[in-house]
Amino acid sequence: MSVGFIGAGQLAHALVKGFTAAGVIAAHRVTASSPDTDLPTVTGLRKMGVNFTTSNKETTHKSDVLFLAVKPHIIPFVLDEIGPDIEDRHLIVSCAAGVTISSIEKLMASVGFCTEVEEDLIDAVTGLSGSGPAYAFTALDALADGGVKMGLPRRLAVRLGAQALLGAAKMLLDSEQHPGQLKDNVCSPGGATIHALHFLESGGFRSLLINAVEASCIRTRELQFLADQEKISPAAIKKTTLDKVMQQPGVSDTSVGTKSRVNLFNNMSGIKKP
Amino acid sequence: MGVVVTHSNEEVVQHSRLVFLAVKPHLVSTVLNGISKHVTPQHILVSIAAGVTLETLEQLLPSRSCVIRMMPNLPCMLQEGAVLLACGAAASQEVGSMLKNLLSPCGLVEVGPEAWIDAHTGLSGSGVAFAFVFAEALADGAVKMGMPSSLAHRIAAQTILGAGLLLRDTGKHPAQLRAEVCTPGGTTAYGLHALEKGGIRAATVDAVEAATERARELGRR
């Protein structure tokens, strides 16, 4: 089986890294294409031994399993370009929609947890686990700041914070207990942890996280909607970067959705949808 | 429990005068299309399907069918529920009262206009969960102050239960009851001040509003 990636950005890079590390496929059986050869991820992919090309058609010809790892609004143009080259043998996986099928599941399972959801839940999945690592990185950065403030060297603070979250996540995944119960288990009466949690609650910690997941989910839907509306001619697209898209005639700031319509700040008491 | 079980919806309708529709909302129209020809003006149909309006139900059934919408909440399982009934055009006051009596073992049963069903969902359907959040936070407060968690949780539950019983059975206004617990310069006065500073009243109103709006939205779909 040979694998191809249309798009050679973060997503392609992450997936190839995982597949090859797990030994599920050899790098030389992977082809990736992108019009932009300057991306650091392109260098990374080449270093891993992936065959790189600027031709999407070449990737399509060389692959049995083809991942569409481009931004959602580029998908229609890509499909337009490679459409004539798609044959029965091809298995197309659009990462923008995230639909998995059973022969792909094993491949995906090699990079972590794989499950199938209804397509209309994909945006919620993006909001939670797609963006989730970013929430965790932000939290870890701040936790490390707290450690440093209280006297720990930075590197140690980062490692301790990361390990704490890693351990907590593992405990939760391995446990039948509710996270609320696990929280209680670590909060000794009158102790340090419950004092600290009180601060988190005072700051509206829980609602901030809910807001974040909701904002990411809503924005994902907006972007997909905009992608569906886009009327740019495929022939006019030379590069798939946003600024190039914006230079095309007929494309304006609002039509490409660079200004978010997600507005969570106009009302302390709730989320107003756009 | 001795109930006759069948695979046939028609059989249930043919053998019963009072029929409860206890299927998920998205199945209601299929089910009603199936049984519609067996429904007579003598039947009483009670729907528990969330978000399915009386208008929808009446349109799927023969004209002048007696339809009632019922919105229960979780504690019905302990016979301490709060139920609101809304009667359709062909359901007389008599039928409403009969059903109210029949359901009284569920807890509190009231009859009201359909417009109140969504607010009832926000208040009492979701309200139960709001109480759970409050209970967890009460316990967390006690844990912070040195009490072991499981004891704190048991006491928090009993506190809310006791308060609820006082509210229900004394008939006094909650503000009155609050005043009776507040000795001048005492612990409760200080604690309540912290609650008010935290905006708990506005947050609670917001919660009921958000849940009600969502119920309305789901009902429109």
Side-chain angles (χ1 to χ4, degrees):
Chain A
M1 176 177 68
S2 55
V3 174
F5 286 86
I6 307 284
Q10 298 281 11
L11 185 58
H13 185 262
L15 286 175
V16 172
K17 196 153 180 229
F19 296 157
T20 51
V24 172
I25 190 160
H28 68 267
R29 297 194 65 87
V30 180
T31 310
S33 55
S34 165
D36 188 345
T37 55
D38 294 333
L39 297 169
T41 45
V42 169
T43 314
L45 283 164
R46 279 188 159 133
K47 276 196 182 137
M48 286 193 269
V50 166
N51 303 303
F52 182 80
T53 167
T54 50
S55 162
N56 288 340
K57 280 179 181 301
E58 192 186 332
T59 302
T60 309
H61 288 147
K62 286 184 169 166
S63 315
D64 302 307
V65 178
L66 191 60
F67 284 91
L68 302 180
V70 293
K71 292 275 192 290
H73 63 277
I74 303 301
I75 296 269
F77 315 120
V78 162
L79 291 178
D80 218 68
E81 181 192 353
I82 63 173
D85 306 288
I86 301 293
E87 299 161 35
D88 283 345
R89 66 181 173 85
H90 279 112
L91 226 47
I92 312 288
V93 181
S94 163
C95 295
V99 175
T100 61
I101 43 180
S102 58
S103 63
I104 296 295
E105 268 173 33
K106 189 162 172 248
L107 198 62
M108 295 304 290
S110 70
V111 297
F113 173 67
C114 172
T115 187
E116 192 171 337
V117 300
E118 298 286 335
E119 193 173 0
D120 60 353
L121 292 180
I122 284 292
D123 303 319
V125 173
T126 305
L128 176 54
S129 58
S131 300
Y135 314 153
F137 293 143
T138 307
L140 285 166
D141 198 10
L143 284 170
D145 281 345
V148 168
K149 179 174 177 180
M150 301 323 296
L152 294 172
R154 167 71 53 179
R155 282 191 59 164
L156 179 60
V158 170
R159 292 224 43 191
L160 290 174
Q163 192 63 36
L165 287 199
L166 177 65
K170 189 146 184 16
M171 273 184 75
L172 179 56
L173 288 170
D174 292 344
S175 167
E176 301 278 298
Q177 293 184 314
H178 190 281
Q181 179 64 58
L182 291 170
K183 173 207 79 191
D184 285 350
N185 294 347
V186 300
C187 281
S188 35
T193 310
I194 188 76
H195 272 73
L197 277 179
H198 189 184
F199 265 99
L200 283 182
E201 298 287 3
S202 299
F205 187 58
R206 291 174 191 256
S207 81
L208 280 180
L209 290 169
I210 296 173
N211 288 355
V213 174
E214 186 169 2
S216 174
C217 177
I218 292 173
R219 181 60 177 163
T220 302
R221 284 183 196 149
E222 271 184 3
L223 291 172
Q224 185 60 58
F225 179 76
L226 290 165
D228 291 342
Q229 303 295 300
E230 216 47 73
K231 291 179 176 58
I232 307 170
S233 107
I237 300 289
K238 296 281 192 283
K239 286 200 163 196
T240 59
T241 53
L242 184 63
D243 39 280
K244 288 295 178 181
V245 170
M246 300 240 319
Q247 282 165 22
Q248 300 309 316
V251 179
S252 72
D253 204 10
T254 46
S255 73
V256 182
T258 51
K259 289 198 169 48
S260 171
R261 290 198 301 258
V262 179
N263 183 357
L264 304 174
F265 302 113
N266 65 353
N267 183 346
M268 279 292 283
S269 64
I271 311 291
K272 292 279 195 292
K273 297 212 172 157
Chain B
M1 287 190 274
V3 172
V4 177
V5 178
T6 166
H7 287 292
S8 160
N9 291 340
E10 289 87 359
E11 205 182 304
V12 173
V13 175
Q14 280 158 342
H15 287 103
S16 325
R17 203 188 139 212
L18 175 61
V19 178
F20 285 87
L21 271 179
V23 295
K24 290 268 189 294
H26 67 273
L27 294 172
V28 167
S29 53
T30 316
V31 166
L32 290 184
N33 283 331
I35 60 168
S36 183
K37 54 183 179 294
H38 302 282
V39 174
T40 67
Q42 280 70 47
H43 277 100
I44 303 169
L45 273 130
V46 181
S47 165
I48 322 179
V52 181
T53 60
L54 286 167
E55 190 185 352
T56 305
L57 296 163
E58 282 161 356
Q59 274 168 2
L60 288 162
L61 292 163
S63 71
R64 293 193 57 237
S65 293
C66 177
V67 182
I68 297 184
R69 239 182 115 180
M70 173 177 154
M71 174 54 62
N73 73 346
L74 185 66
C76 284
M77 58 194 270
L78 297 165
Q79 299 183 307
E80 285 293 1
V83 182
L84 187 65
L85 300 171
C87 296
S92 66
Q93 258 206 343
E94 211 180 44
V95 167
S97 301
M98 180 275 294
L99 195 56
K100 184 176 165 178
N101 286 335
L102 181 71
L103 294 170
S104 60
C106 292
L108 177 70
V109 187
E110 298 283 0
V111 181
E114 190 176 17
W116 296 354
I117 292 265
D118 295 323
H120 177 74
T121 307
L123 166 60
S124 165
S126 301
V128 171
F130 307 157
F132 293 152
V133 170
F134 188 63
E136 194 181 349
L138 279 173
D140 280 345
V143 169
K144 180 176 178 180
M145 297 292 99
M147 185 179 284
S149 177
S150 71
L151 180 63
H153 278 281
R154 291 203 314 275
I155 296 175
Q158 189 65 25
T159 303
I160 292 179
L161 177 65
L165 287 167
L166 283 169
L167 275 165
R168 184 186 67 182
D169 298 339
T170 62
K172 291 181 185 171
H173 192 282
Q176 175 67 43
L177 285 166
R178 172 170 47 92
E180 286 167 17
V181 189
C182 264
T183 40
T187 64
T188 309
Y190 274 68
L192 281 172
H193 189 190
L195 268 186
E196 296 289 1
K197 276 193 237 177
I200 193 175
R201 289 177 190 259
T204 308
V205 171
D206 288 340
V208 173
E209 184 176 343
T212 304
E213 278 303 325
R214 183 61 176 166
R216 285 183 187 153
E217 206 185 317
L218 290 172
R220 276 194 286 270
R221 289 201 189 163

